Structure formats: C-alpha cells, structure tokens
Amino acid sequence: MKKKLYRFIQIVTLVIIFLLIINIIPPKKAVSSNPFLTDGLPMVSAHRGGRVTYPENTLKAFKWCVNELNVDILEFDLYLTKDDVLVINHDSYINRTTDVEDITNSTDRYFIKDHDLQELNQFNFGYKFTKNGEFPYRDIVGLTDDNREEIIHNNDLGIVTLSQVFENFYSSHPDLLFIIEIKDEAERGEKAAEVFYQTLSNYPNYLNNVVASSFNKEVENYFKETYPDLHRGASVASTASFVVTQYLKVNLFNFNNFSCLQLPLEMYGVDLTGNTIIRRAHRRGMAVQYWTINDADEMRMLIKKGADAIMTDDPLLLIEVLKEFK
C-alpha cells in the first residue's frame, strides 16, 4: 500500500514539475516583427469603417475614419465578384444595405459571386442606413436615374473594391494598418486569396501593414503555405487550439504562427479576456484583438487588460474612452 502511495506521489510530482517547466521555458516566437503589437494603449480599429456614424464599408465611412479620426486600423471583409474583383461587404449578398430590392422588385438575395463589378456599381450602399430614425442617403439618387452610378460614386456610397481602399490612403497614410477577412471558402476562397495577394503587391509598402484572415481553415492553410510573408489572423480552429492549450497550461505545444489572435469577449460560455491569454500571446509575439466592442465599460476593461486593438463600430466612442487613460 505504501509503495503504491509513494508511486502515486512520484507521478503527481513529475506532472507538476513537467507543467512548471513547460510554462517557464520561453516559447518560440510566432513572428519576429509584428506591427499589430502595442506596448501602450490599444489601437483603434474601425469595424466595417465605423458603421455607427456612416454607412458601413463605404468610402464615405473609410475616409471619415482615416482622414478625420486618424484611426490606427481599418477592418473589413472581402468577397470575390463574378469577374474576380475583390469587393468589401460583410454579407455574401447586398440586400441588407442597398436599394437592390426596390430596383429589382424582388426580395431574392443578390449574391456578390453571381454578379460582376459593373452590375454591383449600380446600387446605393447607403440606402438603408439610418440615423436618428431617418434615412439621410436614401434620396441622393433616384431608383430609375440614368446616371445612378456617377451620382453614387460622387457621394462615396458605392460598393468599394480592395484596390480603391489602398489607392485612397497609400500615399497619405503609409502607417495605416488593415485587418482583412476573406469570406469566400474552399476553392473560391483560395482564388480570393490569390487576387488579394496580387492586389496587395501593387502597394508594396502596405505588405507589412495587413493581417489577412479567414474563419475557414482551408483558406487559412492556403495563406500560410502560399504567402508566408503575409501576417495572418487565426481561423476559428486555430483560435480554439490556442485557447484550449492555454487553459490546460500546455501552450508550449501550440505551434500556430499567426500574427493576430482575434477574439470575442467570450465563446461558448468561456471568458476570453483573461490576462493569461493576452500574456501568453504576447510571449509568442502575437497581437490580441477583440471584436466587436461598442460599450464604453467593456472598452475600459480591455484597455486595462492590455489588449492590442479593439474593433468597434463606434471608433469615436473608443477614442473618447482612450482619452481617460492618456
């Protein structure tokens, strides 16, 4: 009986020593240099271009965030059109934000993948935007006007291509950062990744300013294998792997090498704001970015925790909150 107890104590002691050692050994850096890390206050990331103040994912919103607010990061999603152009939109279809249903007299979803850029340029992406109960951009153009595309373009309310965003800020804001998610999946997602890299190559000084991500593991792997020079965000699977190994205290065996860990406040009832998650990510050279935070108290909490970036629909609110800590 004493021998069994002694053996049990030995095993427990070895396990404890093992866990202590793997938590003391400095982990291998995921990336050698990461522009998304900050040693001070978190960066302001305008989610969908800060859709509280202006129509989401429009040049009107992006220009306001960058030129007026001087945000650190623009965040947006990409889809591939029928003619292989990357455009910015949160959904795979455009019904939620545009006048497409009134123009086509149909509530059928108007999917981006089924239409070319010229067709998508005909719609007003500020049509359903509301502010103080009103629709400030609904009447900028009539539903049957011949020069719809020109009017919409002049008001910065058309669909936006990836090239347009880079072109608008490349010279004037060389330090601007981008969080970009490829929404297409499987083979189409891989094609989108190719077009993405080709487009970014036309703006070489932005190559280190972009973190590209996909919730789809296949597309994440394609980015990792094909474009190793790109900063990558974690897919859902990679995020879960990092969090689980962190909670089990075996993070040393997590070999992910993404640049940014992008997290909600909690997932499946698990709090993802713990100091240990941020600390362990920082030990690996990974930045920790939280989405989508529109509450001032939650912003304050993440600032105190040491988050590297806060993605918000209301960047003006975040800027005001950050003033409290300066």
PDB file of all heavy atoms in Angstrom, residues 59 81 83 85 87 94 98-99 103 110 115-125 141 145-154 157-161 164:
ATOM      1  N   LEU A  59     -16.723  54.172 -48.919  1.00  0.00           N
ATOM      2  CA  LEU A  59     -15.596  55.102 -48.895  1.00  0.00           C
ATOM      3  C   LEU A  59     -15.903  56.301 -48.011  1.00  0.00           C
ATOM      4  O   LEU A  59     -14.999  56.887 -47.412  1.00  0.00           O
ATOM      5  CB  LEU A  59     -15.260  55.568 -50.314  1.00  0.00           C
ATOM      6  CG  LEU A  59     -14.334  54.661 -51.127  1.00  0.00           C
ATOM      7  CD1 LEU A  59     -14.114  55.237 -52.516  1.00  0.00           C
ATOM      8  CD2 LEU A  59     -12.993  54.453 -50.425  1.00  0.00           C
ATOM      9  N   THR A  81     -16.139  38.896 -56.784  1.00  0.00           N
ATOM     10  CA  THR A  81     -17.251  39.065 -57.720  1.00  0.00           C
ATOM     11  C   THR A  81     -17.195  38.006 -58.819  1.00  0.00           C
ATOM     12  O   THR A  81     -16.236  37.239 -58.923  1.00  0.00           O
ATOM     13  CB  THR A  81     -17.226  40.456 -58.364  1.00  0.00           C
ATOM     14  OG1 THR A  81     -16.042  40.547 -59.190  1.00  0.00           O
ATOM     15  CG2 THR A  81     -17.195  41.555 -57.319  1.00  0.00           C
ATOM     16  N   ASP A  83     -16.598  38.522 -61.851  1.00  0.00           N
ATOM     17  CA  ASP A  83     -15.458  38.789 -62.724  1.00  0.00           C
ATOM     18  C   ASP A  83     -14.150  38.905 -61.937  1.00  0.00           C
ATOM     19  O   ASP A  83     -13.204  39.575 -62.351  1.00  0.00           O
ATOM     20  CB  ASP A  83     -15.694  40.035 -63.576  1.00  0.00           C
ATOM     21  CG  ASP A  83     -16.101  41.252 -62.758  1.00  0.00           C
ATOM     22  OD1 ASP A  83     -16.518  41.071 -61.592  1.00  0.00           O
ATOM     23  OD2 ASP A  83     -15.989  42.374 -63.262  1.00  0.00           O
ATOM     24  N   VAL A  85     -13.126  40.283 -59.019  1.00  0.00           N
ATOM     25  CA  VAL A  85     -12.688  41.512 -58.357  1.00  0.00           C
ATOM     26  C   VAL A  85     -13.037  41.390 -56.881  1.00  0.00           C
ATOM     27  O   VAL A  85     -14.145  40.962 -56.536  1.00  0.00           O
ATOM     28  CB  VAL A  85     -13.368  42.761 -58.964  1.00  0.00           C
ATOM     29  CG1 VAL A  85     -12.914  44.026 -58.229  1.00  0.00           C
ATOM     30  CG2 VAL A  85     -13.062  42.870 -60.449  1.00  0.00           C
ATOM     31  N   VAL A  87     -14.302  42.807 -53.548  1.00  0.00           N
ATOM     32  CA  VAL A  87     -15.075  43.942 -53.067  1.00  0.00           C
ATOM     33  C   VAL A  87     -15.341  43.784 -51.580  1.00  0.00           C
ATOM     34  O   VAL A  87     -15.308  42.680 -51.034  1.00  0.00           O
ATOM     35  CB  VAL A  87     -16.410  44.091 -53.822  1.00  0.00           C
ATOM     36  CG1 VAL A  87     -16.155  44.449 -55.287  1.00  0.00           C
ATOM     37  CG2 VAL A  87     -17.258  42.822 -53.717  1.00  0.00           C
ATOM     38  N   ILE A  94     -26.099  41.682 -51.033  1.00  0.00           N
ATOM     39  CA  ILE A  94     -26.109  43.129 -50.777  1.00  0.00           C
ATOM     40  C   ILE A  94     -27.475  43.660 -50.358  1.00  0.00           C
ATOM     41  O   ILE A  94     -27.647  44.871 -50.207  1.00  0.00           O
ATOM     42  CB  ILE A  94     -25.608  43.903 -52.015  1.00  0.00           C
ATOM     43  CG1 ILE A  94     -26.576  43.745 -53.190  1.00  0.00           C
ATOM     44  CG2 ILE A  94     -24.211  43.437 -52.401  1.00  0.00           C
ATOM     45  CD1 ILE A  94     -26.262  44.663 -54.360  1.00  0.00           C
ATOM     46  N   THR A  98     -28.545  47.941 -49.323  1.00  0.00           N
ATOM     47  CA  THR A  98     -28.723  48.680 -50.570  1.00  0.00           C
ATOM     48  C   THR A  98     -30.187  48.768 -51.009  1.00  0.00           C
ATOM     49  O   THR A  98     -31.090  48.235 -50.369  1.00  0.00           O
ATOM     50  CB  THR A  98     -27.924  48.031 -51.716  1.00  0.00           C
ATOM     51  OG1 THR A  98     -28.592  46.817 -52.123  1.00  0.00           O
ATOM     52  CG2 THR A  98     -26.507  47.693 -51.280  1.00  0.00           C
ATOM     53  N   ASP A  99     -30.388  49.412 -52.177  1.00  0.00           N
ATOM     54  CA  ASP A  99     -31.711  49.571 -52.776  1.00  0.00           C
ATOM     55  C   ASP A  99     -32.009  48.484 -53.806  1.00  0.00           C
ATOM     56  O   ASP A  99     -32.909  48.642 -54.634  1.00  0.00           O
ATOM     57  CB  ASP A  99     -31.836  50.950 -53.426  1.00  0.00           C
ATOM     58  CG  ASP A  99     -30.631  51.300 -54.305  1.00  0.00           C
ATOM     59  OD1 ASP A  99     -29.764  50.433 -54.501  1.00  0.00           O
ATOM     60  OD2 ASP A  99     -30.556  52.449 -54.768  1.00  0.00           O
ATOM     61  N   ILE A 103     -35.165  48.209 -56.649  1.00  0.00           N
ATOM     62  CA  ILE A 103     -34.859  48.332 -58.073  1.00  0.00           C
ATOM     63  C   ILE A 103     -35.284  47.085 -58.842  1.00  0.00           C
ATOM     64  O   ILE A 103     -35.838  47.174 -59.942  1.00  0.00           O
ATOM     65  CB  ILE A 103     -33.352  48.598 -58.269  1.00  0.00           C
ATOM     66  CG1 ILE A 103     -33.007  50.006 -57.778  1.00  0.00           C
ATOM     67  CG2 ILE A 103     -32.945  48.433 -59.729  1.00  0.00           C
ATOM     68  CD1 ILE A 103     -31.531  50.338 -57.840  1.00  0.00           C
ATOM     69  N   TYR A 110     -29.323  38.940 -53.555  1.00  0.00           N
ATOM     70  CA  TYR A 110     -28.485  39.361 -54.687  1.00  0.00           C
ATOM     71  C   TYR A 110     -27.033  39.084 -54.303  1.00  0.00           C
ATOM     72  O   TYR A 110     -26.352  39.915 -53.715  1.00  0.00           O
ATOM     73  CB  TYR A 110     -28.723  40.850 -54.944  1.00  0.00           C
ATOM     74  CG  TYR A 110     -28.304  41.353 -56.314  1.00  0.00           C
ATOM     75  CD1 TYR A 110     -29.196  41.334 -57.390  1.00  0.00           C
ATOM     76  CD2 TYR A 110     -27.035  41.872 -56.535  1.00  0.00           C
ATOM     77  CE1 TYR A 110     -28.838  41.820 -58.635  1.00  0.00           C
ATOM     78  CE2 TYR A 110     -26.660  42.359 -57.775  1.00  0.00           C
ATOM     79  CZ  TYR A 110     -27.565  42.326 -58.822  1.00  0.00           C
ATOM     80  OH  TYR A 110     -27.209  42.827 -60.056  1.00  0.00           O
ATOM     81  N   HIS A 115     -22.572  38.251 -59.690  1.00  0.00           N
ATOM     82  CA  HIS A 115     -22.648  39.495 -60.451  1.00  0.00           C
ATOM     83  C   HIS A 115     -21.258  40.106 -60.608  1.00  0.00           C
ATOM     84  O   HIS A 115     -20.390  39.947 -59.743  1.00  0.00           O
ATOM     85  CB  HIS A 115     -23.585  40.482 -59.756  1.00  0.00           C
ATOM     86  CG  HIS A 115     -24.974  39.935 -59.600  1.00  0.00           C
ATOM     87  ND1 HIS A 115     -25.917  39.990 -60.595  1.00  0.00           N
ATOM     88  CD2 HIS A 115     -25.564  39.282 -58.561  1.00  0.00           C
ATOM     89  CE1 HIS A 115     -27.034  39.411 -60.194  1.00  0.00           C
ATOM     90  NE2 HIS A 115     -26.847  38.978 -58.956  1.00  0.00           N
ATOM     91  N   ASP A 116     -21.071  40.817 -61.726  1.00  0.00           N
ATOM     92  CA  ASP A 116     -19.778  41.453 -61.945  1.00  0.00           C
ATOM     93  C   ASP A 116     -19.773  42.849 -61.324  1.00  0.00           C
ATOM     94  O   ASP A 116     -20.803  43.354 -60.862  1.00  0.00           O
ATOM     95  CB  ASP A 116     -19.417  41.505 -63.432  1.00  0.00           C
ATOM     96  CG  ASP A 116     -20.432  42.263 -64.274  1.00  0.00           C
ATOM     97  OD1 ASP A 116     -21.034  43.236 -63.768  1.00  0.00           O
ATOM     98  OD2 ASP A 116     -20.615  41.898 -65.456  1.00  0.00           O
ATOM     99  N   LEU A 117     -18.608  43.462 -61.313  1.00  0.00           N
ATOM    100  CA  LEU A 117     -18.447  44.756 -60.654  1.00  0.00           C
ATOM    101  C   LEU A 117     -19.338  45.819 -61.270  1.00  0.00           C
ATOM    102  O   LEU A 117     -19.908  46.651 -60.552  1.00  0.00           O
ATOM    103  CB  LEU A 117     -16.981  45.196 -60.715  1.00  0.00           C
ATOM    104  CG  LEU A 117     -16.648  46.524 -60.025  1.00  0.00           C
ATOM    105  CD1 LEU A 117     -16.972  46.454 -58.540  1.00  0.00           C
ATOM    106  CD2 LEU A 117     -15.181  46.879 -60.238  1.00  0.00           C
ATOM    107  N   GLN A 118     -19.481  45.814 -62.577  1.00  0.00           N
ATOM    108  CA  GLN A 118     -20.314  46.822 -63.240  1.00  0.00           C
ATOM    109  C   GLN A 118     -21.755  46.752 -62.746  1.00  0.00           C
ATOM    110  O   GLN A 118     -22.397  47.780 -62.516  1.00  0.00           O
ATOM    111  CB  GLN A 118     -20.263  46.636 -64.753  1.00  0.00           C
ATOM    112  CG  GLN A 118     -21.020  47.714 -65.523  1.00  0.00           C
ATOM    113  CD  GLN A 118     -20.904  47.572 -67.022  1.00  0.00           C
ATOM    114  OE1 GLN A 118     -20.283  46.632 -67.519  1.00  0.00           O
ATOM    115  NE2 GLN A 118     -21.488  48.495 -67.757  1.00  0.00           N
ATOM    116  N   GLU A 119     -22.263  45.545 -62.568  1.00  0.00           N
ATOM    117  CA  GLU A 119     -23.629  45.389 -62.056  1.00  0.00           C
ATOM    118  C   GLU A 119     -23.727  45.886 -60.614  1.00  0.00           C
ATOM    119  O   GLU A 119     -24.688  46.579 -60.241  1.00  0.00           O
ATOM    120  CB  GLU A 119     -24.037  43.923 -62.130  1.00  0.00           C
ATOM    121  CG  GLU A 119     -24.208  43.394 -63.542  1.00  0.00           C
ATOM    122  CD  GLU A 119     -24.463  41.899 -63.576  1.00  0.00           C
ATOM    123  OE1 GLU A 119     -23.589  41.134 -63.126  1.00  0.00           O
ATOM    124  OE2 GLU A 119     -25.538  41.496 -64.050  1.00  0.00           O
ATOM    125  N   LEU A 120     -22.758  45.564 -59.799  1.00  0.00           N
ATOM    126  CA  LEU A 120     -22.789  45.949 -58.387  1.00  0.00           C
ATOM    127  C   LEU A 120     -22.624  47.451 -58.197  1.00  0.00           C
ATOM    128  O   LEU A 120     -23.074  48.009 -57.190  1.00  0.00           O
ATOM    129  CB  LEU A 120     -21.684  45.202 -57.630  1.00  0.00           C
ATOM    130  CG  LEU A 120     -21.872  43.686 -57.538  1.00  0.00           C
ATOM    131  CD1 LEU A 120     -20.578  43.008 -57.119  1.00  0.00           C
ATOM    132  CD2 LEU A 120     -22.992  43.336 -56.571  1.00  0.00           C
ATOM    133  N   ASN A 121     -22.005  48.107 -59.167  1.00  0.00           N
ATOM    134  CA  ASN A 121     -21.801  49.558 -59.088  1.00  0.00           C
ATOM    135  C   ASN A 121     -23.100  50.351 -59.215  1.00  0.00           C
ATOM    136  O   ASN A 121     -23.110  51.564 -58.985  1.00  0.00           O
ATOM    137  CB  ASN A 121     -20.839  50.019 -60.185  1.00  0.00           C
ATOM    138  CG  ASN A 121     -19.387  49.874 -59.777  1.00  0.00           C
ATOM    139  OD1 ASN A 121     -19.054  49.928 -58.594  1.00  0.00           O
ATOM    140  ND2 ASN A 121     -18.511  49.679 -60.751  1.00  0.00           N
ATOM    141  N   GLN A 122     -24.185  49.695 -59.547  1.00  0.00           N
ATOM    142  CA  GLN A 122     -25.449  50.391 -59.779  1.00  0.00           C
ATOM    143  C   GLN A 122     -26.241  50.639 -58.492  1.00  0.00           C
ATOM    144  O   GLN A 122     -27.275  51.305 -58.526  1.00  0.00           O
ATOM    145  CB  GLN A 122     -26.328  49.574 -60.740  1.00  0.00           C
ATOM    146  CG  GLN A 122     -25.675  49.276 -62.072  1.00  0.00           C
ATOM    147  CD  GLN A 122     -25.272  50.517 -62.820  1.00  0.00           C
ATOM    148  OE1 GLN A 122     -26.039  51.487 -62.908  1.00  0.00           O
ATOM    149  NE2 GLN A 122     -24.049  50.528 -63.344  1.00  0.00           N
ATOM    150  N   PHE A 123     -25.754  50.165 -57.361  1.00  0.00           N
ATOM    151  CA  PHE A 123     -26.569  50.205 -56.149  1.00  0.00           C
ATOM    152  C   PHE A 123     -26.023  51.171 -55.106  1.00  0.00           C
ATOM    153  O   PHE A 123     -24.817  51.361 -54.964  1.00  0.00           O
ATOM    154  CB  PHE A 123     -26.704  48.795 -55.568  1.00  0.00           C
ATOM    155  CG  PHE A 123     -27.311  47.824 -56.539  1.00  0.00           C
ATOM    156  CD1 PHE A 123     -26.538  46.862 -57.171  1.00  0.00           C
ATOM    157  CD2 PHE A 123     -28.661  47.905 -56.848  1.00  0.00           C
ATOM    158  CE1 PHE A 123     -27.083  45.990 -58.084  1.00  0.00           C
ATOM    159  CE2 PHE A 123     -29.234  47.028 -57.764  1.00  0.00           C
ATOM    160  CZ  PHE A 123     -28.441  46.079 -58.385  1.00  0.00           C
ATOM    161  N   ASN A 124     -26.944  51.761 -54.362  1.00  0.00           N
ATOM    162  CA  ASN A 124     -26.643  52.741 -53.318  1.00  0.00           C
ATOM    163  C   ASN A 124     -26.452  52.006 -51.995  1.00  0.00           C
ATOM    164  O   ASN A 124     -27.414  51.519 -51.394  1.00  0.00           O
ATOM    165  CB  ASN A 124     -27.794  53.743 -53.223  1.00  0.00           C
ATOM    166  CG  ASN A 124     -27.615  54.740 -52.091  1.00  0.00           C
ATOM    167  OD1 ASN A 124     -26.571  54.784 -51.432  1.00  0.00           O
ATOM    168  ND2 ASN A 124     -28.636  55.549 -51.852  1.00  0.00           N
ATOM    169  N   PHE A 125     -25.220  51.950 -51.514  1.00  0.00           N
ATOM    170  CA  PHE A 125     -24.918  51.215 -50.282  1.00  0.00           C
ATOM    171  C   PHE A 125     -25.184  52.035 -49.011  1.00  0.00           C
ATOM    172  O   PHE A 125     -24.887  51.581 -47.916  1.00  0.00           O
ATOM    173  CB  PHE A 125     -23.476  50.706 -50.321  1.00  0.00           C
ATOM    174  CG  PHE A 125     -23.318  49.454 -51.131  1.00  0.00           C
ATOM    175  CD1 PHE A 125     -23.349  49.504 -52.521  1.00  0.00           C
ATOM    176  CD2 PHE A 125     -23.177  48.228 -50.514  1.00  0.00           C
ATOM    177  CE1 PHE A 125     -23.222  48.346 -53.274  1.00  0.00           C
ATOM    178  CE2 PHE A 125     -23.055  47.064 -51.257  1.00  0.00           C
ATOM    179  CZ  PHE A 125     -23.082  47.117 -52.651  1.00  0.00           C
ATOM    180  N   VAL A 141     -30.070  59.607 -54.952  1.00  0.00           N
ATOM    181  CA  VAL A 141     -30.223  59.195 -56.349  1.00  0.00           C
ATOM    182  C   VAL A 141     -31.560  58.472 -56.501  1.00  0.00           C
ATOM    183  O   VAL A 141     -31.985  57.735 -55.611  1.00  0.00           O
ATOM    184  CB  VAL A 141     -29.057  58.273 -56.776  1.00  0.00           C
ATOM    185  CG1 VAL A 141     -29.002  57.007 -55.940  1.00  0.00           C
ATOM    186  CG2 VAL A 141     -29.121  57.952 -58.258  1.00  0.00           C
ATOM    187  N   ASP A 145     -32.809  56.738 -62.196  1.00  0.00           N
ATOM    188  CA  ASP A 145     -31.926  57.737 -62.818  1.00  0.00           C
ATOM    189  C   ASP A 145     -30.921  57.062 -63.756  1.00  0.00           C
ATOM    190  O   ASP A 145     -30.344  56.026 -63.418  1.00  0.00           O
ATOM    191  CB  ASP A 145     -31.156  58.521 -61.741  1.00  0.00           C
ATOM    192  CG  ASP A 145     -32.059  59.490 -61.000  1.00  0.00           C
ATOM    193  OD1 ASP A 145     -33.231  59.641 -61.410  1.00  0.00           O
ATOM    194  OD2 ASP A 145     -31.590  60.097 -60.018  1.00  0.00           O
ATOM    195  N   ASP A 146     -30.706  57.684 -64.910  1.00  0.00           N
ATOM    196  CA  ASP A 146     -29.771  57.131 -65.886  1.00  0.00           C
ATOM    197  C   ASP A 146     -28.322  57.189 -65.400  1.00  0.00           C
ATOM    198  O   ASP A 146     -27.507  56.346 -65.761  1.00  0.00           O
ATOM    199  CB  ASP A 146     -29.892  57.877 -67.219  1.00  0.00           C
ATOM    200  CG  ASP A 146     -31.230  57.612 -67.899  1.00  0.00           C
ATOM    201  OD1 ASP A 146     -31.812  56.539 -67.648  1.00  0.00           O
ATOM    202  OD2 ASP A 146     -31.689  58.487 -68.654  1.00  0.00           O
ATOM    203  N   ASN A 147     -28.012  58.240 -64.633  1.00  0.00           N
ATOM    204  CA  ASN A 147     -26.626  58.430 -64.185  1.00  0.00           C
ATOM    205  C   ASN A 147     -26.443  57.988 -62.730  1.00  0.00           C
ATOM    206  O   ASN A 147     -25.694  58.588 -61.966  1.00  0.00           O
ATOM    207  CB  ASN A 147     -26.206  59.879 -64.346  1.00  0.00           C
ATOM    208  CG  ASN A 147     -27.124  60.844 -63.594  1.00  0.00           C
ATOM    209  OD1 ASN A 147     -28.258  60.494 -63.272  1.00  0.00           O
ATOM    210  ND2 ASN A 147     -26.632  62.037 -63.326  1.00  0.00           N
ATOM    211  N   ARG A 148     -27.123  56.924 -62.350  1.00  0.00           N
ATOM    212  CA  ARG A 148     -27.055  56.420 -60.974  1.00  0.00           C
ATOM    213  C   ARG A 148     -25.617  56.156 -60.528  1.00  0.00           C
ATOM    214  O   ARG A 148     -25.202  56.581 -59.468  1.00  0.00           O
ATOM    215  CB  ARG A 148     -27.856  55.103 -60.852  1.00  0.00           C
ATOM    216  CG  ARG A 148     -29.341  55.273 -60.701  1.00  0.00           C
ATOM    217  CD  ARG A 148     -30.012  53.905 -60.578  1.00  0.00           C
ATOM    218  NE  ARG A 148     -29.434  53.141 -59.482  1.00  0.00           N
ATOM    219  CZ  ARG A 148     -29.795  53.270 -58.201  1.00  0.00           C
ATOM    220  NH1 ARG A 148     -30.719  54.153 -57.869  1.00  0.00           N
ATOM    221  NH2 ARG A 148     -29.246  52.523 -57.272  1.00  0.00           N
ATOM    222  N   GLU A 149     -24.869  55.441 -61.349  1.00  0.00           N
ATOM    223  CA  GLU A 149     -23.510  55.049 -60.958  1.00  0.00           C
ATOM    224  C   GLU A 149     -22.645  56.271 -60.679  1.00  0.00           C
ATOM    225  O   GLU A 149     -21.888  56.300 -59.698  1.00  0.00           O
ATOM    226  CB  GLU A 149     -22.875  54.199 -62.051  1.00  0.00           C
ATOM    227  CG  GLU A 149     -21.492  53.680 -61.692  1.00  0.00           C
ATOM    228  CD  GLU A 149     -20.896  52.766 -62.735  1.00  0.00           C
ATOM    229  OE1 GLU A 149     -21.656  52.270 -63.599  1.00  0.00           O
ATOM    230  OE2 GLU A 149     -19.667  52.546 -62.692  1.00  0.00           O
ATOM    231  N   GLU A 150     -22.761  57.295 -61.511  1.00  0.00           N
ATOM    232  CA  GLU A 150     -21.957  58.508 -61.330  1.00  0.00           C
ATOM    233  C   GLU A 150     -22.324  59.220 -60.035  1.00  0.00           C
ATOM    234  O   GLU A 150     -21.441  59.643 -59.271  1.00  0.00           O
ATOM    235  CB  GLU A 150     -22.166  59.440 -62.520  1.00  0.00           C
ATOM    236  CG  GLU A 150     -21.375  60.741 -62.420  1.00  0.00           C
ATOM    237  CD  GLU A 150     -21.664  61.683 -63.570  1.00  0.00           C
ATOM    238  OE1 GLU A 150     -22.452  61.321 -64.463  1.00  0.00           O
ATOM    239  OE2 GLU A 150     -21.102  62.799 -63.565  1.00  0.00           O
ATOM    240  N   ILE A 151     -23.619  59.345 -59.763  1.00  0.00           N
ATOM    241  CA  ILE A 151     -24.074  60.029 -58.551  1.00  0.00           C
ATOM    242  C   ILE A 151     -23.628  59.269 -57.302  1.00  0.00           C
ATOM    243  O   ILE A 151     -23.124  59.850 -56.335  1.00  0.00           O
ATOM    244  CB  ILE A 151     -25.609  60.194 -58.561  1.00  0.00           C
ATOM    245  CG1 ILE A 151     -26.039  61.095 -59.719  1.00  0.00           C
ATOM    246  CG2 ILE A 151     -26.102  60.762 -57.228  1.00  0.00           C
ATOM    247  CD1 ILE A 151     -27.547  61.148 -59.918  1.00  0.00           C
ATOM    248  N   ILE A 152     -23.814  57.966 -57.325  1.00  0.00           N
ATOM    249  CA  ILE A 152     -23.419  57.133 -56.183  1.00  0.00           C
ATOM    250  C   ILE A 152     -21.914  57.227 -55.959  1.00  0.00           C
ATOM    251  O   ILE A 152     -21.453  57.373 -54.815  1.00  0.00           O
ATOM    252  CB  ILE A 152     -23.848  55.666 -56.428  1.00  0.00           C
ATOM    253  CG1 ILE A 152     -25.376  55.553 -56.392  1.00  0.00           C
ATOM    254  CG2 ILE A 152     -23.231  54.742 -55.382  1.00  0.00           C
ATOM    255  CD1 ILE A 152     -25.904  54.213 -56.895  1.00  0.00           C
ATOM    256  N   HIS A 153     -21.155  57.168 -57.036  1.00  0.00           N
ATOM    257  CA  HIS A 153     -19.695  57.265 -56.940  1.00  0.00           C
ATOM    258  C   HIS A 153     -19.274  58.609 -56.361  1.00  0.00           C
ATOM    259  O   HIS A 153     -18.392  58.676 -55.492  1.00  0.00           O
ATOM    260  CB  HIS A 153     -19.071  57.064 -58.318  1.00  0.00           C
ATOM    261  CG  HIS A 153     -17.594  57.307 -58.356  1.00  0.00           C
ATOM    262  ND1 HIS A 153     -16.674  56.399 -57.880  1.00  0.00           N
ATOM    263  CD2 HIS A 153     -16.873  58.381 -58.782  1.00  0.00           C
ATOM    264  CE1 HIS A 153     -15.449  56.893 -58.018  1.00  0.00           C
ATOM    265  NE2 HIS A 153     -15.539  58.088 -58.567  1.00  0.00           N
ATOM    266  N   ASN A 154     -19.889  59.686 -56.813  1.00  0.00           N
ATOM    267  CA  ASN A 154     -19.528  61.029 -56.344  1.00  0.00           C
ATOM    268  C   ASN A 154     -19.843  61.230 -54.867  1.00  0.00           C
ATOM    269  O   ASN A 154     -19.254  62.099 -54.213  1.00  0.00           O
ATOM    270  CB  ASN A 154     -20.237  62.091 -57.174  1.00  0.00           C
ATOM    271  CG  ASN A 154     -19.696  62.178 -58.592  1.00  0.00           C
ATOM    272  OD1 ASN A 154     -18.575  61.738 -58.863  1.00  0.00           O
ATOM    273  ND2 ASN A 154     -20.486  62.724 -59.503  1.00  0.00           N
ATOM    274  N   LEU A 157     -20.713  56.270 -52.000  1.00  0.00           N
ATOM    275  CA  LEU A 157     -21.666  55.326 -51.425  1.00  0.00           C
ATOM    276  C   LEU A 157     -21.854  54.075 -52.282  1.00  0.00           C
ATOM    277  O   LEU A 157     -22.823  53.340 -52.101  1.00  0.00           O
ATOM    278  CB  LEU A 157     -23.025  56.015 -51.205  1.00  0.00           C
ATOM    279  CG  LEU A 157     -23.052  57.064 -50.088  1.00  0.00           C
ATOM    280  CD1 LEU A 157     -24.373  57.815 -50.086  1.00  0.00           C
ATOM    281  CD2 LEU A 157     -22.813  56.414 -48.728  1.00  0.00           C
ATOM    282  N   GLY A 158     -20.919  53.838 -53.197  1.00  0.00           N
ATOM    283  CA  GLY A 158     -20.990  52.626 -53.994  1.00  0.00           C
ATOM    284  C   GLY A 158     -20.237  51.486 -53.344  1.00  0.00           C
ATOM    285  O   GLY A 158     -19.621  51.642 -52.286  1.00  0.00           O
ATOM    286  N   ILE A 159     -20.297  50.331 -53.972  1.00  0.00           N
ATOM    287  CA  ILE A 159     -19.514  49.201 -53.474  1.00  0.00           C
ATOM    288  C   ILE A 159     -18.038  49.543 -53.638  1.00  0.00           C
ATOM    289  O   ILE A 159     -17.642  50.209 -54.600  1.00  0.00           O
ATOM    290  CB  ILE A 159     -19.881  47.896 -54.206  1.00  0.00           C
ATOM    291  CG1 ILE A 159     -19.367  46.693 -53.410  1.00  0.00           C
ATOM    292  CG2 ILE A 159     -19.384  47.883 -55.656  1.00  0.00           C
ATOM    293  CD1 ILE A 159     -20.008  45.378 -53.800  1.00  0.00           C
ATOM    294  N   VAL A 160     -17.214  49.112 -52.697  1.00  0.00           N
ATOM    295  CA  VAL A 160     -15.802  49.501 -52.670  1.00  0.00           C
ATOM    296  C   VAL A 160     -14.934  48.291 -52.986  1.00  0.00           C
ATOM    297  O   VAL A 160     -15.122  47.209 -52.422  1.00  0.00           O
ATOM    298  CB  VAL A 160     -15.421  50.060 -51.280  1.00  0.00           C
ATOM    299  CG1 VAL A 160     -13.977  50.543 -51.282  1.00  0.00           C
ATOM    300  CG2 VAL A 160     -16.359  51.195 -50.890  1.00  0.00           C
ATOM    301  N   THR A 161     -13.980  48.481 -53.886  1.00  0.00           N
ATOM    302  CA  THR A 161     -13.019  47.416 -54.176  1.00  0.00           C
ATOM    303  C   THR A 161     -11.829  47.538 -53.234  1.00  0.00           C
ATOM    304  O   THR A 161     -11.564  48.605 -52.678  1.00  0.00           O
ATOM    305  CB  THR A 161     -12.517  47.485 -55.629  1.00  0.00           C
ATOM    306  OG1 THR A 161     -11.719  48.669 -55.798  1.00  0.00           O
ATOM    307  CG2 THR A 161     -13.685  47.507 -56.611  1.00  0.00           C
ATOM    308  N   GLN A 164      -9.456  50.220 -54.370  1.00  0.00           N
ATOM    309  CA  GLN A 164      -9.874  51.595 -54.067  1.00  0.00           C
ATOM    310  C   GLN A 164      -9.437  52.031 -52.674  1.00  0.00           C
ATOM    311  O   GLN A 164      -9.005  53.154 -52.471  1.00  0.00           O
ATOM    312  CB  GLN A 164     -11.402  51.714 -54.194  1.00  0.00           C
ATOM    313  CG  GLN A 164     -11.912  51.819 -55.611  1.00  0.00           C
ATOM    314  CD  GLN A 164     -13.435  51.893 -55.656  1.00  0.00           C
ATOM    315  OE1 GLN A 164     -14.131  50.980 -55.214  1.00  0.00           O
ATOM    316  NE2 GLN A 164     -13.941  52.992 -56.166  1.00  0.00           N
TER     317      GLN A 164
END
